[in-house]
Amino acid sequence: MKIGVDLGGTKVKAGIEFNGEIIHQNTVFLQEKESMSATLEQLFDLIRPLTQHPIGSIGIGVPSVVDVEKGIVYNVANIPSWEKVALRDILEEEFNIPVYVNNDANCFSLGEHRYGVAQHYNSVVGMTIGTGLGSGIIIDNQLYNGSNCGAGEIGLLPYREHNLEYYAGSNFFEAIHGTTALLVSNAALDGDKKALRLWQEFGVHLGFAIKAAMYTYDPEAIVLGGSIAKAYSFFEGGMREALEDFAYPETLKRIKILQSQNDDIALLGAAALVLQDAKVPVSSLR
C-alpha cells in the first residue's frame, strides 16, 4: 500500500492506494498559508493517521516546479510561504517512509496512464483545466519531467495578449467575462444561449492548446481533467472546430481525446511515483 497526496493552493487530499483504488481518504483546508511550519503541521496531521497501515511509500503532487531528484519544491502556487521547501527530506524525517515528489499535473497524467482512461496508450498528454491549464507528458510509458520538472507547460505558451491558460482556464470566465465556470455551466444546463456561446468560445481556445500539444508531442491520447473538464459536453464542439485546421489530417483522425472519469486519479498518480522512479513495466500493473 502507498499513500498518495494531492497538495492544492487551498486544500490537501491524501489517501491510500490499494489495488488501484484510493481508500481511507482525508481532506484538509489549508490555514495560515503565510506560515510554512503551520502548513507543514497540517500536512503531517493529514498523513499521520494513514501511516498506521503498512505503507511502503508516500507520493505527493505539488503545484510548482520540483527538483525531482532532491524532492525540493519551489514557489508553490497560492502558498506564499513555500518558496523553497525540501519536502521529501521533511516528510521522510517525520514518517521514516520513502517519499517521492513531483508536479501535480504530472501526477494527474501518470494516474490516468497507470490506472485511468489512458491505460492502453504508450504516449499521453494529460491536461488539468481549472484555475490554470496544467499538463503532464507520458512518453514510451514513462513520465517525462524535463530538466526542471517543467516539461509540458503548454498553458504558459504565449497566446493573444496573454497565454493559453488565461483563455483555457478559469480566467476565461472570471477575468474576461466577470462570472464563473460553475455559473456558466448551470446556465448552459438550462439552455441559456449566452452561456452556450461562452462554452463554444472556451472550447475554441482549449482547442488551440490541444493543437500545441499535438504538434509538440504527437501523443496517442490527450486526457482532459480538472473541474472545468466536467463541462466537456458544452465545449467539445468549439474544441473540435478549432482542431479542424490541424496540418496533419491523419493525425487528427487517430488522436483520442478522453475525459477523466476518476476524481481520485491525481492521488493514484502521486502514489504511483514510486513505480515511475523504479521504472516498473506498465504491463506488470495490468
Side-chain angles (χ1 to χ4, degrees):
M1 291 191 291
K2 303 178 288 293
I3 292 175
V5 183
D6 184 20
L7 175 69
T10 58
K11 65 181 179 180
V12 191
K13 295 168 60 178
I16 295 173
E17 183 276 321
F18 180 68
N19 288 338
E21 295 184 1
I22 294 295
I23 59 175
H24 303 300
Q25 184 178 154
N26 297 317
T27 302
V28 63
F29 286 87
L30 290 174
Q31 308 293 329
E32 300 180 58
K33 291 191 289 183
E34 294 75 16
S35 168
M36 186 173 71
S37 60
T39 49
L40 284 172
E41 281 299 327
Q42 280 197 280
L43 184 60
F44 295 161
D45 291 343
L46 180 68
I47 294 172
R48 190 170 292 110
L50 303 178
T51 62
Q52 305 308 308
H53 302 271
I55 299 299
S57 64
I58 299 170
I60 179 166
V62 183
S64 72
V65 171
V66 180
D67 183 329
V68 175
E69 295 298 321
K70 297 179 180 178
I72 300 172
V73 301
Y74 297 91
N75 305 114
V76 177
N78 298 311
I79 308 180
S81 60
W82 284 40
E83 294 183 3
K84 180 181 179 181
V85 182
L87 191 57
R88 184 191 67 189
D89 290 348
I90 290 169
L91 290 176
E92 286 186 347
E93 182 178 353
E94 180 70 20
F95 297 111
N96 196 31
I97 298 172
V99 173
Y100 301 85
V101 186
N102 211 299
N103 173 266
D104 58 346
N106 285 355
C107 289
F108 165 79
S109 302
L110 184 61
E112 290 292 357
H113 180 253
R114 297 284 183 164
Y115 300 107
V117 296
Q119 288 183 68
H120 303 294
Y121 301 99
N122 297 325
S123 59
V124 179
V125 173
M127 291 185 166
T128 58
I129 316 168
T131 303
L133 179 66
S135 301
I137 312 300
I138 304 291
I139 298 175
D140 292 335
N141 293 313
Q142 291 294 326
L143 179 64
Y144 178 66
N145 292 309
S147 298
N148 303 288
C149 200
E153 290 294 348
I154 293 163
L156 298 182
L157 291 173
Y159 178 68
R160 297 194 173 186
E161 73 276 23
H162 291 287
N163 56 26
L164 279 166
E165 75 172 7
Y166 188 85
Y167 289 90
S170 64
N171 273 324
F172 172 78
F173 301 97
E174 296 170 10
I176 299 175
H177 293 287
T179 182
T180 67
L182 179 60
L183 288 173
V184 178
S185 182
N186 289 338
L189 285 170
D190 292 333
D192 183 90
K193 291 182 179 179
K194 180 180 179 181
L196 292 170
R197 284 196 300 270
L198 280 182
W199 279 118
Q200 178 80 6
E201 183 183 344
F202 175 86
V204 170
H205 296 310
L206 180 63
F208 275 91
I210 289 173
K211 284 193 290 187
M214 292 171 65
Y215 283 126
T216 306
Y217 298 103
D218 189 23
E220 294 173 272
I222 292 175
V223 186
L224 304 179
S227 57
I228 294 179
K230 296 180 185 299
Y232 182 78
S233 62
F234 294 133
F235 64 71
E236 181 185 10
M239 178 192 75
R240 299 285 182 186
E241 176 186 314
L243 295 176
E244 288 176 359
D245 65 353
F246 190 76
Y248 307 118
E250 280 303 312
T251 299
L252 191 58
K253 289 178 185 177
R254 295 174 184 173
I255 188 71
K256 303 297 182 184
I257 299 177
L258 311 170
Q259 185 181 9
S260 180
Q261 302 295 321
N262 189 336
D263 290 339
D264 294 330
I265 205 69
L267 293 179
L268 289 167
L273 288 173
V274 60
L275 306 177
Q276 161 72 19
D277 190 76
K279 301 295 189 294
V280 174
V282 175
S283 59
S284 68
L285 301 175
R286 298 172 182 163

